[in-house]
Amino acid sequence: MIRALGLPAQPMRRLWTAAAREAQKEPGWITHCIEQVALQPESPPMAHRSFTEAMADTYTAYARTFLLTDHRARWVVAETFDILWLCWDEAITSENFRRYAWQLLRARVLARAHRRDGTPDLRAAVFSTAEVHASVPGHVVVLSELVDLFDAIGRLPDDQMDVTVLGHLCSVPAERIADVIGLTPAITHSVDHHARATLERLLRALDPWE
């Protein structure tokens, strides 16, 4: 069926394997099914390879912020690139290819992120991102403030959250963020400005003394 539809077999096999594991199928059953399909060596389009090489580290850093471990982050990024390969013709003819790819990644990441009150819960990321230790004076207060900040970031609208996470939690240079998420520099700058204002409002709402 894959050949009849003209789909690349390798990403389909990887995606099918991942779905079978999530469905808790036995490893032996998965291996047996895969062995029934003879695969010829395949390579993604050169432009796909160049894009994945350019974006892999940044995509993984973004995914790690929500999913907390390298293993989970790399798995979701690999899944995203496989889906992008399957949809390559549609992707490259879309109005904004980089935006198409970014929204695909975001959807895969947020689908697996822990949620609280319907929004991504970033509070646990404090402990993998912040350099705060018990030996630092006032570390409990600092941690409490950071937890509130990360909680507020998870409540931002999608684009505002993305720009904030990339710029402030993943240390992506401001001039590169626009290229990563597929927005113009002017729009990205505006989104960042609005994100800061929204964060201030959210943090005031979280402050019991306000």
Side-chain angles (χ1 to χ4, degrees), residues 62 66 99 102 106 153 156-174 177-178 180-185 187-196 199:
Y62 175 86
F66 294 88
R99 187 70 174 160
W102 178 256
R106 178 206 285 154
I153 291 172
L156 291 171
D158 284 346
D159 285 334
Q160 293 183 24
M161 179 179 67
D162 292 344
V163 170
T164 303
V165 168
L166 289 170
H168 300 285
L169 306 187
C170 301
S171 301
V172 177
I177 293 176
V180 171
I181 65 177
L183 296 177
T184 66
I187 291 177
T188 303
H189 178 76
S190 177
V191 168
D192 182 50
H193 175 76
H194 287 296
R196 293 170 187 269
L199 277 176

Side-chain angles (χ1 to χ4, degrees), residues 88-104:
W88 188 247
D89 289 342
E90 176 184 339
I92 60 176
T93 56
S94 65
E95 183 177 347
N96 185 332
F97 166 72
R98 290 181 182 272
R99 187 70 174 160
Y100 181 106
W102 178 256
Q103 290 178 327
L104 178 60

Side-chain angles (χ1 to χ4, degrees), residues 63 66-77 112-114:
F66 294 88
L67 306 179
L68 303 178
T69 69
D70 281 335
H71 174 75
R72 296 182 70 203
R74 293 184 187 283
W75 190 90
V76 169
V77 171
R112 289 169 171 79
H114 179 64

Side-chain angles (χ1 to χ4, degrees), residues 3 7-11 14 39-50 52 81-82 85-86 88:
R3 295 303 184 190
L7 299 173
Q10 288 187 4
R14 287 192 292 265
L39 296 178
Q40 297 297 322
E42 292 178 301
S43 295
M46 180 66 72
H48 179 280
R49 281 183 284 171
S50 297
T52 59
F81 289 153
D82 276 340
W85 183 1
L86 287 175
W88 188 247

